Amino acid sequence: MDINIEHILLFKTNIRSEGDKRYIGKIMEEHRIEEWTVDLHDIDCVLRIVSPTLKLEEVINLVMNSGYHCEVLT
Amino acid sequence: MRARDINKVELVKQKAIELLVDLGFEGFTMNKLAKACKISVATLYIYYQDKDDLILKIGIEEVERISAIMLENFDPESSFEDGLRQQWKNRAKCLFENPLSAQMIEQLRTSTYQSKVLGIFGKNFKGPLGKFMQNSIERGEIEAVPFETYWSVAFAPLYNLIRFHNEGQSLGGKPFVLTDEILWKTFDLVLKALKK
């Protein structure tokens, strides 16, 4: 599988529980973001989005407006 | 598009297997793996969606690799004794040379990743080993028994011996080293049990 690295957006969040994930899921759906995952097992609760169009700031605003912390993962 | 660095990919795989065996699935995290490989967590997440995805992908790759080694020089048309001996030889050599992978696969076997991982073994072995078993039954070399019975007698003793060896001990903490003598003496008993 060839991945275009440019299209992968990574964030540190505090989306910790299944409940949090479900909530974010609704937000993602509302904004038609389809390819996304949250690693609930990891200390950084990494939000990973695959999108050719979305920008980092857009996602950060979206998640923070939903009440969660979100910053770019380095 | 940046080309994947093959060495880095291999390093990640090796370290992942080491850490999984060392820390178990619960203790393993992407963070710890990144530190062990001296790469950023972000680099890992480019290639793997999350911990589950990484464990599954690496687990499956290892199972495929190990399956191929176990099937080397194996001829489904050979006699029961020759075929089974070749299998024992291949599996023992493979598991001796890849003790960490062997342990990781054991862990996978008893985890939530079980069905996906076991599915791969099934896919790779069913053809040649199924045919081998069928041939042996048709030739009257062994009796037709349920597959689980056959496997438990034909291979479980080998896996137990290897596990004891890799753990350095058998039952009750008794120190143990698997020698050729013990290996093939056990094989002789297995053969005796299965042959008509």
Side-chain angles (χ1 to χ4, degrees), chain A residues 3 39 42-44 46 48, chain B residues 1 30-31 42 45-46 51:
Chain A
I3 308 163
D39 191 351
D42 196 85
I43 195 167
D44 290 328
V46 175
R48 181 185 190 267
Chain B
M1 178 158 50
M30 299 288 261
N31 242 285
Y45 276 104
I46 288 176
K51 178 176 153 174

Side-chain angles (χ1 to χ4, degrees), chain A residues 6-7 9 32 50-56 58:
Chain A
E6 321 271 318
H7 294 172
L9 310 172
R32 306 233 189 86
V50 185
S51 164
T53 51
L54 274 179
K55 298 207 182 27
L56 292 171
E58 285 179 88

